[in-house]
Amino acid sequence: MIKHAFTAPSPSLCGHGSMTSFSHGKTTRTQDRLFASATLCAECGAKIVAVVPCADKGFHKMALPAMLGRPAQVKWANGIRLGFIRQLGPVMAELAKQHDPLSVAVLAVYEMLFKIQEAPFWIDNRDSKFSSYWARTEVECLLRERLHSVILPSAMSAFDYWNRTDYAPIRAARANIEQVREALAWSQHLPAPEQDRQPLQSV
């Protein structure tokens, strides 16, 4: 078990102070501080979990791109995506009715997910849940100024997928969450959209 040297407030990604447990050693303390600065505070994280409702009915209108891949892959992936639409469509419909900033942010990341048209992505993530925890980590990715070496992207991250392939969906999602930064006492500045934006680099 890792023994913590002390617990102290440390700035979080959302701009709020968060109690952080710092480990022994200068290097590990630096990593603890970097992790805190790259993630939402506990209260904001809990709010994201709360805004992802368990909805049974509802439809969220969105344009689905044609699936790309080999014919067999496309057929399989279309079925998988349809399953996720049935699961998450009602959730997205409920989020669209809400006006708080975190609901706007969560809806933006789900819409970013369904813009992915490569069949292998859906096949590889067919057992994923894309749950409220997934939504929280994706919102954190949108709010970060850059990637952090202490936080590795998951294979089911829509943000990481678009950061590696096409920055435009990230740009569009960030344009929709300006009010999130204002509401969360945001103290940093996201890079301005650029036509030739390069993928984010780790620090």
Side-chain angles (χ1 to χ4, degrees), residues 97-133:
K97 297 176 185 177
Q98 302 174 30
H99 302 291
D100 64 281
L102 288 176
S103 293
V104 173
V106 174
L107 180 59
V109 299
Y110 278 127
E111 290 178 335
M112 187 168 62
L113 168 67
F114 282 106
K115 289 180 180 178
I116 297 176
Q117 60 187 129
E118 287 191 9
F121 175 89
W122 294 101
I123 294 171
D124 292 343
N125 292 291
R126 60 189 179 277
D127 295 325
S128 302
K129 300 300 182 183
F130 299 114
S131 63
S132 56
Y133 177 77

Side-chain angles (χ1 to χ4, degrees), residues 24-81:
H24 287 283
K26 183 177 180 180
T27 300
T28 53
R29 288 183 185 178
T30 298
Q31 291 178 338
D32 292 338
R33 187 177 67 254
L34 284 172
F35 182 84
S37 68
T39 55
L40 296 172
C41 71
E43 182 178 355
C44 289
K47 287 180 180 178
I48 285 190
V49 173
V51 301
V52 178
C54 296
D56 296 325
K57 297 180 180 180
F59 174 75
H60 180 69
K61 185 178 180 180
M62 55 185 165
L64 294 174
M67 198 72 73
L68 300 177
R70 297 193 300 272
Q73 288 180 320
V74 168
K75 182 178 180 180
W76 189 9
N78 275 328
I80 295 169
R81 185 174 64 177

Side-chain angles (χ1 to χ4, degrees), residues 2-196:
I2 297 176
K3 295 182 178 180
H4 297 291
F6 62 91
T7 300
S10 183
S12 297
L13 178 64
C14 49
H16 301 138
S18 180
M19 295 304 293
T20 301
S21 296
F22 291 93
S23 304
H24 287 283
K26 183 177 180 180
T27 300
T28 53
R29 288 183 185 178
T30 298
Q31 291 178 338
D32 292 338
R33 187 177 67 254
L34 284 172
F35 182 84
S37 68
T39 55
L40 296 172
C41 71
E43 182 178 355
C44 289
K47 287 180 180 178
I48 285 190
V49 173
V51 301
V52 178
C54 296
D56 296 325
K57 297 180 180 180
F59 174 75
H60 180 69
K61 185 178 180 180
M62 55 185 165
L64 294 174
M67 198 72 73
L68 300 177
R70 297 193 300 272
Q73 288 180 320
V74 168
K75 182 178 180 180
W76 189 9
N78 275 328
I80 295 169
R81 185 174 64 177
L82 179 59
F84 281 120
I85 291 173
R86 289 171 175 166
Q87 170 194 334
L88 297 173
V91 173
M92 296 170 72
E94 287 297 320
L95 289 170
K97 297 176 185 177
Q98 302 174 30
H99 302 291
D100 64 281
L102 288 176
S103 293
V104 173
V106 174
L107 180 59
V109 299
Y110 278 127
E111 290 178 335
M112 187 168 62
L113 168 67
F114 282 106
K115 289 180 180 178
I116 297 176
Q117 60 187 129
E118 287 191 9
F121 175 89
W122 294 101
I123 294 171
D124 292 343
N125 292 291
R126 60 189 179 277
D127 295 325
S128 302
K129 300 300 182 183
F130 299 114
S131 63
S132 56
Y133 177 77
W134 175 89
R136 170 182 173 169
T137 58
E138 293 293 281
V139 169
E140 289 173 339
C141 287
L142 283 181
L143 290 175
R144 289 185 197 121
E145 185 174 339
R146 58 181 62 87
L147 299 181
H148 282 258
S149 58
V150 296
I151 302 178
L152 300 177
S154 70
M156 61 181 179
S157 171
F159 179 92
D160 181 62
Y161 173 89
W162 290 118
N163 186 53
R164 290 182 288 103
T165 59
D166 181 0
Y167 201 78
I170 294 176
R171 186 183 299 113
R174 282 183 163 170
N176 291 332
I177 63 168
E178 182 66 25
Q179 58 179 309
V180 178
R181 293 185 288 141
E182 296 175 358
L184 297 181
W186 186 249
S187 60
Q188 300 186 48
H189 176 67
L190 289 175
E194 299 174 8
Q195 193 66 27
D196 56 347

